[in-house]
Amino acid sequence: MGWENTRGTLPNTGPTWAADDLSAAAALGGAQLPAAGLLWWVYETTTQDDYGAGLGGVLGVLCVLLFAPLLLPILGVLSAFVLTLPSVVLARLAGPRLPGPGWVWHVVAPVGPALFWGVPACVLFRWPLGIAVPALAVLGLLPTLWVGLVRWCGWRQWGVWWRAAVGSVVLFVLAICGGVIATVTGLIPEYEPPKLTRAQLTGVWHGPSGAELRLHPDGSAEAVRLPTQPPFADDHFRDYVVCQGSGTWEPDDDSGSTPRDGVLLKLDSTCGEDTFWTIGGSEDTPELFVLFGDPDGGSLLILEPTRG
């Protein structure tokens, strides 16, 4: 008995798809998203710089989970049209014409839509092709197999959705366990900030709204529209103040506010207080950043080196 034959009440529409297929695709397409989102969040928070943002990422995840029951059906329908149903059609076209059981082509078919959407995503959003295409293929795999299983078993719509809900919980628990194991064993590498020498720190750093910081080899510095720590007298009213002028700088690996290396900037003007700019980014694309105000909801300012 193959996947191209109907065991239950669902109609066999050949290489096309029916309304029942759309419902099944949307059910598991949405059901797998909490687990996929959790794994993505674990990967991002482990491998990327959190800029000392405290629990902001956790609070964001909790907000997403709170509204998940309303969002998941909508996102499930979207993923069905983008990934799952095209994969189902490809699998049903390949099954009668190519050797092998039907479920094999349901496994292979998601690569097609993943390539179709992954390549332009890499161009538009600069995603790595080696990550975007496999990720999209994995997102389309389980719902594509699920549509074939639902057609073969002939489950009614209520049965499809409650089984998908149970599957969502199981996938989420597995994602938690997998994320913990991956981070503990080092399978997902933990982010390490770069180590920059004094010579590497020397130069021009620029940021948003015309912010600019010039660090000279002799330890002098010049600032233009640069955010700095507000004066102690009003630090409860403003996250930062914008200053300009000259001053001094020095590499600092023993700041009291952070265990990470950075630059301690002291401007001669009375505009603001001394500011510690933490080193972030990577060896190829270093950054200087400071988080002003509340770590959970403050103002993050990032400076990047001027190239060329």
Side-chain angles (χ1 to χ4, degrees), residues 59-289:
L59 295 177
V61 171
L62 292 178
C63 289
V64 170
L65 291 178
L66 179 63
F67 293 99
L70 298 176
L71 293 175
L72 291 183
I74 299 174
L75 295 177
V77 171
L78 177 62
S79 68
F81 280 111
V82 172
L83 297 173
T84 308
L85 294 179
S87 300
V88 170
V89 172
L90 288 175
R92 290 174 181 167
L93 286 172
R97 296 168 175 82
L98 298 174
W103 66 266
V104 172
W105 298 110
H106 282 72
V107 172
V108 176
V111 177
L115 285 170
F116 181 84
W117 295 107
V119 172
C122 294
V123 175
L124 295 176
F125 304 107
R126 298 182 180 179
W127 295 347
L129 186 65
I131 295 178
V133 172
L136 291 174
V138 170
L139 284 176
L141 175 60
L142 286 181
T144 301
L145 291 171
W146 178 256
V147 170
L149 179 63
V150 168
R151 169 175 287 211
W152 185 77
C153 295
W155 293 327
R156 296 184 180 276
Q157 293 302 305
W158 172 246
V160 171
W161 282 87
W162 77 255
R163 286 178 173 88
V166 173
S168 180
V169 175
V170 173
L171 289 173
F172 193 78
V173 172
L174 291 176
I176 293 176
C177 297
V180 171
I181 293 173
T183 52
V184 170
T185 60
L187 184 62
I188 299 179
E190 186 175 0
Y191 170 78
E192 291 289 343
K195 297 289 185 180
L196 301 183
T197 65
R198 187 183 186 93
Q200 290 174 306
L201 290 169
T202 300
V204 181
W205 300 76
H206 66 275
S209 303
E212 185 177 285
L213 175 62
R214 294 179 177 269
L215 304 178
H216 299 291
D218 61 358
S220 62
E222 297 176 45
V224 177
R225 297 184 56 82
L226 186 71
T228 60
Q229 292 288 353
F232 295 124
D234 66 349
D235 61 358
H236 293 295
F237 301 98
R238 291 180 288 181
D239 286 346
Y240 62 89
V241 292
V242 178
C243 302
Q244 63 183 37
S246 59
T248 60
W249 73 279
E250 59 180 341
D252 191 339
D253 58 2
D254 190 24
S255 172
S257 59
T258 173
R260 291 168 53 169
D261 297 349
V263 171
L264 182 60
L265 176 66
K266 301 179 180 180
L267 294 180
D268 298 334
S269 67
T270 58
C271 176
E273 303 295 335
D274 299 347
T275 305
F276 181 79
W277 290 87
T278 305
I279 297 174
S282 64
E283 294 288 346
D284 296 330
T285 57
E287 298 172 341
L288 294 178
F289 74 89

Side-chain angles (χ1 to χ4, degrees), residues 32-50:
Q32 70 176 349
L33 292 181
L38 176 64
L39 290 176
W40 174 83
W41 178 77
V42 170
Y43 178 82
E44 285 289 312
T45 56
T46 303
T47 62
Q48 304 297 318
D49 196 346
D50 63 1

